[in-house]
Amino acid sequence: MSSRYFYRGHELFIGVSPNIRIEGGNYYCTLWRSGDGQLHKLNLSALPDRKTKATAQRDLDKWAALKKLKEA
């Protein structure tokens, strides 16, 4: 199961990037959901879009450990 973290009052998780659509696949990124249910991408250089969900999750796990974030 993918780890989720709390950051600035929001739950962070990995999902399909809403901004990038490529033929034959998706990119994965760190997302958070606003109060009205909309998804937002967390735009940080440490958390780039990745071709695999596992790679995006590793980026998030590493960044969360550096920031000492709590798991959701």
Side-chain angles (χ1 to χ4, degrees):
M1 184 172 153
S2 299
S3 296
R4 294 172 175 243
Y5 300 93
F6 289 115
Y7 178 66
R8 296 185 177 178
H10 299 286
E11 187 176 338
L12 303 181
F13 57 94
I14 299 300
V16 175
S17 178
N19 301 329
I20 299 177
R21 297 285 182 250
I22 59 170
E23 190 174 321
N26 295 309
Y27 275 74
Y28 297 88
C29 65
T30 302
L31 301 171
W32 60 276
R33 190 178 307 276
S34 60
D36 62 0
Q38 290 187 340
L39 293 177
H40 302 274
K41 181 178 171 185
L42 187 60
N43 290 310
L44 297 174
S45 60
L47 300 170
D49 291 329
R50 297 294 191 179
K51 289 184 180 182
T52 68
K53 188 173 183 178
T55 305
Q57 186 66 54
R58 278 195 297 273
D59 290 343
L60 177 57
D61 293 341
K62 181 179 175 183
W63 181 79
L66 288 171
K67 295 290 186 179
K68 299 179 180 172
L69 301 182
K70 293 183 179 185
E71 282 196 49

